[in-house]
Amino acid sequence: IVIIILGILAVTAAPKFLDIQDDAQQSAISGINGALRSASQIAHSANLVNSGATISLEGATYDVVDTYLVADEICRIIGLTDSVLAAGVTTSSDGQYICEYEADAGSDDEGRTTIYPSNYNGPNATTPGNCFVQYTDADNATTTPSDSVTTLY
């Protein structure tokens, strides 16, 4: 009898627990998107003050294009990686996130970085609960970089 009751409790509690995990992942990705937007605006402001191909913030140098942070720098400036991204997949320093960089992702050869939890399959997956954020370089000096959060439920 006890085993049957525990089985019933497990069947009803497991989906609720999984929903909480998905919500936590979505919140974490939304937080990363907020950090990404802030870092992009700080880099943009620094570049407007001292125009050039690079900016220096807190002792580190970052590449900019069209006065905005380059997509291959985004994981480094928000603290997920210690180096500039190469094309392909890089795991964050803490192992919890994947930073995936594509050098020519847009119509004007913009770079794009996708960040997603390491326990998901990335932006091409159709798994419920899959979530990611993407940052795409600005098209030119008069446009801003784009960012988006996607969650599949």
Side-chain angles (χ1 to χ4, degrees), residues 18 24 42 47 50 54 61 82 96 101 110 119 134 141 149-150:
L18 294 175
I42 289 169
N47 188 262
N50 301 312
T54 61
T61 302
D82 296 327
Q96 293 185 20
Y101 175 67
E110 305 97 1
N119 59 335
Q134 288 184 321
V149 175
T150 302

Side-chain angles (χ1 to χ4, degrees), residues 39-40 42-48 50-57 61-73 76-77 135 137:
S40 177
I42 289 169
H44 175 65
S45 299
N47 188 262
L48 290 176
N50 301 312
S51 62
T54 61
I55 57 163
S56 293
L57 296 172
T61 302
Y62 302 96
D63 294 331
V64 292
V65 66
D66 296 326
T67 73
Y68 284 96
L69 198 62
V70 179
D72 63 355
E73 293 277 23
R76 185 166 73 113
I77 200 167
Y135 175 92
D137 289 336

Side-chain angles (χ1 to χ4, degrees), residues 19 22-23 25-26 29 120-133 149-153:
D19 285 344
D22 290 343
D23 290 345
Q25 290 289 9
Q26 183 179 2
I29 288 295
Y120 287 127
N121 296 322
N124 297 321
T126 57
T127 310
N130 191 29
C131 52
F132 56 92
V133 62
V149 175
T150 302
T151 303
L152 304 175
Y153 278 110

Side-chain angles (χ1 to χ4, degrees), residues 1-151:
I1 299 269
V2 172
I3 294 173
I4 293 171
I5 293 172
L6 288 176
I8 292 170
L9 288 174
V11 168
T12 58
K16 290 180 183 179
F17 176 71
L18 294 175
D19 285 344
I20 291 171
Q21 286 181 322
D22 290 343
D23 290 345
Q25 290 289 9
Q26 183 179 2
S27 295
I29 288 295
S30 293
I32 286 174
N33 190 51
L36 181 147
R37 283 183 177 181
S38 295
S40 177
Q41 289 303 318
I42 289 169
H44 175 65
S45 299
N47 188 262
L48 290 176
V49 172
N50 301 312
S51 62
T54 61
I55 57 163
S56 293
L57 296 172
E58 297 184 7
T61 302
Y62 302 96
D63 294 331
V64 292
V65 66
D66 296 326
T67 73
Y68 284 96
L69 198 62
V70 179
D72 63 355
E73 293 277 23
I74 203 67
C75 283
R76 185 166 73 113
I77 200 167
I78 63 174
L80 290 179
T81 59
D82 296 327
S83 60
V84 176
L85 296 176
V89 174
T90 304
T91 302
S92 65
S93 302
D94 63 5
Q96 293 185 20
Y97 296 95
I98 301 295
C99 296
E100 189 173 327
Y101 175 67
E102 300 170 79
D104 298 320
S107 59
D108 294 327
D109 297 328
E110 305 97 1
R112 177 174 60 210
T113 295
T114 305
I115 304 168
Y116 54 93
S118 58
N119 59 335
Y120 287 127
N121 296 322
N124 297 321
T126 57
T127 310
N130 191 29
C131 52
F132 56 92
V133 62
Q134 288 184 321
Y135 175 92
T136 304
D137 289 336
D139 287 336
N140 54 54
T142 61
T143 62
T144 60
S146 64
D147 60 87
S148 63
V149 175
T150 302
T151 303

